Amino acid sequence: MSDNESPALPATDFIRSIIRDDLASGKHQRLVTRFPPEPNGHLHIGHAKSIQLNFGTAEEFKGICFMRFDDTNPLKEEEEYVEGILQDVSWLGYDWGERLTYASDYFEQLYEFAEELITKGKAYVESQSAEEIRQTRGTLTEPGKNSPFRDRSVEENLTLFRQMRTGEFDDGTHVLRAKIDMASPNINMRDPVLYRIRKVPHQRTANQWCIYPLYDFTHGLSDAMEGVTHSLCTLEFEDHRPLYDWILAEVSAPCIPRQIEFSRLNLRYTVLSKRKLIQLVEEGHVGGWDDPRMLTLSGLRRRGYPASAVRLFCERIGISKSENNIDMSVLEDCAREVLDKTAPRVMGVLKPLKVVITNYPEDQTEEFQPARHPKNPEMGNRKVPFSREIYIDHDDFREDPPPNFFRLAPGKEVRLRYAYVIRCDEVIYDETGRVTELRCTYDPATRSGAKAEGRKVKGIIHWVSAKDSIQVEVRLYDRLFAKPIPGSDDPEGNFLNDINQDSIEVLSDCQVEPGIMTAENQEVFQFERVGYYYPDPVDSLADAMVFNRTVTLRDTWARLEQEQT
Ligand code: ATP
Ligand code: MG
């Protein structure tokens, strides 16, 4: 690709620069990448970074990206995860087209590559136990010891390996090892295990195999078989690269993919490791993989995060090799940014306090028709009924207001958004002294939008008409962990001790304007002044809706004042 054919987006990180150079120099005609999850759990936001890098660069540079399952460990893998992962990748907006593959599709070729290594004297059947192999591997400062089986003849190795394949040995009795260098400073190069016996059925190949290749043997070769040009992975694989390169050089691989490592995404106040996520789910600390407090893609989706907010986040954090620990607010800001532009507005009262407008006729209802979105007139208008009895939020009333409290208080005035100015004349209490109702009067001359809107009052609050509003349950979420790096203060790193015990608050009597029921699609709403809320797709019923708070609004007062002037 020459410079004037360059993609619309300039290279913005070191990986894109490498790709761009490789295409410009003609080293590759077309970019080929892959996203290679192991189907042993559902995807989290860290995976989104990798998906966006692999599928995103393929899109930008007009290449292709394989959606490949690295399914070499039948003990931990499940079909349910395969389906969930595919759903998550499509939700993010990426399309693998014809290129859905499985490492298990390559088991036969991989086996042949293994025989090729044996034939060249580059691999041998090891008959020591796993424990003995571990003990003779050496340490970072000491070399390992050669296995007594290292010098088996090619014929003997071939015979034994074939017998391993046909099931003549029990699990753990033999493995196939590469013959590299037991004194290598890189422990991955000390005769790593390539194949082991596992007499368990595989979710895709059933009982066809009882030996399975290890990830390190499989990964680079699968890349090569797919013609991957740039194999993009996280930094923990850097030390494995010499092994991948060794394997690719020793067998007749169709091509040599170039592996490039980048740093993993870490987010503060959460954990992003499938092992830990599985533990949270299995031990019941959360409701499931899609619990809205989980930073899994299914959890974010259920919470109301638009896929475009997740993509914006990945774009914003960028790609580099440096360690990072991103603040949750970066993710939340992306949700706000996207939702502010798209979410229809409604009024919703989370903690209802009844207000009777004593001078408003009992049998009268009028209807206000504010825009569904202040900046998108094409989204149309909604119908907001107003009547004698309304609900406002308890927090918008103070009996004893501080000096700069501009909302409702005894004898004070406030504007009801889209409606009138009311004044609080009387406060009604129950036996315990709790405020249960306010008696107010409205001023008809202050109708919103009317020519003479009347005098200006500082505060504007939201409300709903009591007889028209819909009662819903609202779930407010906070961070799942109370510490920025869960487990960091514990000598054993136990992250479970840092779970935030107040990460969910359920409000069962919230009142929302009736227009919410006419929503055609599942969409995220902005409850004006309050935040963004999404109908829970699992627990909502037609007549009993449950809303998840996606994210709070920030600086609502500043915004309202601005809109008013
Ligand atoms: P985990 O460590 O969470 O269990 P994993 O790396 O074992 O994840 P895989 O299924 O092997 O999960 O991951 C598929 C791809 O996603 C890999 O290429 C991996 O590098 C990448 N990936 C996983 N976690 C992150 C992360 N936090 N940030 C960026 N990329 C990630
Ligand atoms: Mg992994």
Side-chain angles (χ1 to χ4, degrees):
M1 188 184 286
S2 75
D3 254 344
N4 45 16
E5 289 168 4
S6 57
L9 285 172
T12 49
D13 55 63
F14 78 102
I15 291 182
R16 284 175 169 83
S17 308
I18 293 173
I19 293 173
R20 179 183 273 261
D21 290 349
D22 287 348
L23 293 172
S25 72
K27 179 176 175 195
H28 297 294
Q29 304 310 308
R30 178 170 78 162
L31 173 69
V32 184
T33 57
R34 83 289 171 268
F35 172 62
E38 202 183 334
N40 60 355
H42 288 284
L43 300 182
H44 52 65
I45 184 125
H47 291 112
K49 175 173 176 176
S50 173
I51 294 169
Q52 180 140 329
L53 177 63
N54 284 293
F55 279 98
T57 49
E59 243 167 42
E60 276 164 56
F61 294 93
K62 300 193 172 61
I64 55 173
C65 179
F66 284 85
M67 172 68 231
R68 182 176 77 229
F69 286 98
D70 257 324
D71 55 347
T72 53
N73 185 354
L75 286 179
K76 288 197 181 156
E77 296 163 2
E78 285 170 32
E79 194 56 32
E80 178 213 317
Y81 295 136
V82 169
E83 283 158 23
I85 289 169
L86 292 177
Q87 190 188 356
D88 288 346
V89 174
S90 327
W91 174 70
L92 269 185
Y94 294 107
D95 181 9
W96 50 85
E98 309 282 281
R99 293 169 296 277
L100 172 59
T101 58
Y102 297 82
S104 56
D105 294 342
Y106 308 132
F107 279 170
E108 191 61 47
Q109 284 114 300
L110 290 167
Y111 177 85
E112 278 159 28
F113 285 131
E115 282 210 356
E116 189 181 349
L117 284 180
I118 296 173
T119 310
K120 287 175 75 180
K122 298 287 181 180
Y124 60 97
V125 173
E126 163 71 276
S127 307
Q128 297 189 102
S129 68
E131 183 54 27
E132 285 165 323
I133 294 174
R134 213 177 49 77
Q135 278 176 5
T136 51
R137 196 168 42 199
T139 63
L140 287 175
T141 49
E142 281 169 60
K145 290 196 190 74
N146 282 357
S147 160
F149 301 98
R150 199 170 196 262
D151 294 318
R152 275 176 162 153
S153 69
V154 168
E155 290 68 40
E156 189 184 358
N157 280 320
L158 268 183
T159 309
L160 285 169
F161 190 50
R162 287 173 186 166
Q163 286 173 323
M164 281 168 67
R165 175 178 182 165
T166 51
E168 286 171 47
F169 304 121
D170 289 336
D171 288 19
T173 52
H174 306 279
V175 293
L176 184 73
R177 291 180 83 172
K179 195 170 183 176
I180 310 179
D181 179 7
M182 288 306 290
S184 170
N186 181 343
I187 294 187
N188 294 304
M189 300 297 273
R190 293 185 189 166
D191 292 11
V193 175
L194 306 178
Y195 265 88
R196 64 187 164 201
I197 305 171
R198 275 273 158 83
K199 292 193 168 163
V200 290
H202 182 281
Q203 63 276 15
R204 299 195 78 244
T205 57
N207 292 312
Q208 207 181 327
W209 294 88
C210 64
I211 54 172
Y212 292 98
L214 270 87
Y215 183 86
D216 275 348
F217 183 64
T218 311
H219 193 83
L221 287 172
S222 302
D223 280 348
M225 284 184 271
E226 292 176 348
V228 167
T229 54
H230 298 76
S231 178
L232 313 176
C233 64
T234 36
L235 279 170
E236 72 272 21
F237 294 104
E238 196 165 19
D239 291 343
H240 298 239
R241 176 158 30 96
L243 174 57
Y244 298 159
D245 289 345
W246 181 90
I247 295 169
L248 289 168
E250 293 296 345
V251 304
S252 40
C255 72
I256 311 278
R258 170 166 178 193
Q259 174 169 309
I260 309 169
E261 304 87 12
F262 61 96
S263 55
R264 299 174 79 81
L265 165 68
N266 297 306
L267 263 185
R268 287 149 65 83
Y269 293 98
T270 193
V271 293
L272 289 186
S273 139
K274 279 188 277 192
R275 186 180 59 75
K276 292 179 180 168
L277 297 176
I278 287 174
Q279 203 179 342
L280 288 171
V281 172
E282 286 182 350
E283 294 178 10
H285 302 290
V286 293
W289 283 96
D290 66 349
D291 186 302
R293 292 165 297 174
M294 295 271 272
L295 273 286
T296 51
L297 296 184
S298 49
L300 287 165
R301 179 162 67 234
R302 181 170 171 190
R303 181 147 167 179
Y305 265 76
S308 54
V310 176
R311 288 199 305 265
L312 179 63
F313 171 73
C314 293
E315 194 183 303
R316 203 156 277 176
I317 56 172
I319 298 288
S320 76
K321 275 188 181 287
S322 48
E323 283 298 316
N324 61 76
N325 214 336
I326 309 282
D327 203 84
M328 197 73 86
S329 62
V330 179
L331 178 62
E332 290 167 350
D333 277 343
C334 291
R336 288 188 185 102
E337 224 172 286
V338 168
L339 290 172
D340 179 50
K341 293 196 191 105
T342 55
R345 273 49 169 174
V346 293
M347 290 192 285
V349 174
L350 299 190
K351 296 175 188 155
L353 170 61
K354 183 175 269 188
V355 172
V356 178
I357 300 166
T358 52
N359 62 339
Y360 195 86
E362 270 189 52
D363 50 0
Q364 187 172 317
T365 304
E366 66 190 291
E367 199 175 73
F368 297 100
Q369 299 200 356
R372 291 188 84 221
H373 190 286
K375 292 188 205 102
N376 295 337
E378 70 283 0
M379 285 170 72
N381 291 62
R382 57 200 220 248
K383 296 181 171 144
V384 181
F386 181 78
S387 62
R388 181 180 157 95
E389 295 192 358
I390 62 171
Y391 293 116
I392 65 165
D393 200 292
H394 246 288
D395 293 344
D396 285 332
F397 173 76
R398 293 278 176 85
E399 276 188 275
D400 206 2
N404 53 359
F405 184 81
F406 298 122
R407 291 165 277 165
L408 208 53
K412 291 277 166 44
E413 289 192 322
V414 78
R415 174 169 288 282
L416 298 175
R417 186 141 171 83
Y418 308 122
Y420 300 100
V421 172
I422 56 171
R423 189 186 62 229
C424 177
D425 304 320
E426 192 188 345
V427 182
I428 314 282
Y429 304 86
D430 66 8
E431 330 62 78
T432 67
R434 220 176 59 94
V435 176
T436 54
E437 190 181 304
L438 304 178
R439 297 278 162 89
C440 297
T441 40
Y442 86 115
D443 178 353
T446 58
R447 195 180 201 276
S448 277
K451 243 196 189 132
E453 227 184 49
R455 63 203 168 277
K456 221 170 156 135
V457 294
K458 270 209 167 147
I460 311 173
I461 62 172
H462 61 283
W463 53 276
V464 293
S465 162
K467 68 180 166 61
D468 302 289
S469 62
I470 312 285
Q471 184 181 342
V472 302
E473 176 180 314
V474 164
R475 298 174 184 169
L476 307 178
Y477 301 105
D478 197 352
R479 290 163 190 181
L480 190 51
F481 291 91
K483 297 265 173 64
I485 303 175
S488 58
D489 293 347
D490 185 290
E492 262 122 61
N494 186 353
F495 68 103
L496 296 172
N497 296 338
D498 291 336
I499 288 185
N500 172 8
Q501 299 303 331
D502 299 313
S503 59
I504 179 164
E505 183 184 353
V506 177
L507 302 173
S508 51
D509 176 32
C510 304
Q511 301 287 337
V512 188
E513 66 175 68
I516 202 124
M517 298 304 281
T518 61
E520 281 160 34
N521 301 309
Q522 286 258 313
E523 53 189 338
V524 183
F525 292 90
Q526 186 195 96
F527 288 9
E528 295 190 58
R529 293 184 58 224
V530 181
Y532 294 97
Y533 292 80
Y534 181 59
D536 187 278
V538 181
D539 295 339
S540 279
L541 302 172
D543 56 349
M545 289 177 91
V546 175
F547 281 86
N548 294 322
R549 179 169 71 195
T550 308
V551 66
T552 52
L553 276 187
R554 220 184 16 190
D555 218 9
T556 44
W557 281 106
R559 193 172 308 172
L560 272 183
E561 310 266 279
Q562 245 177 20
E563 274 172 28
Q564 227 219 336
T565 50

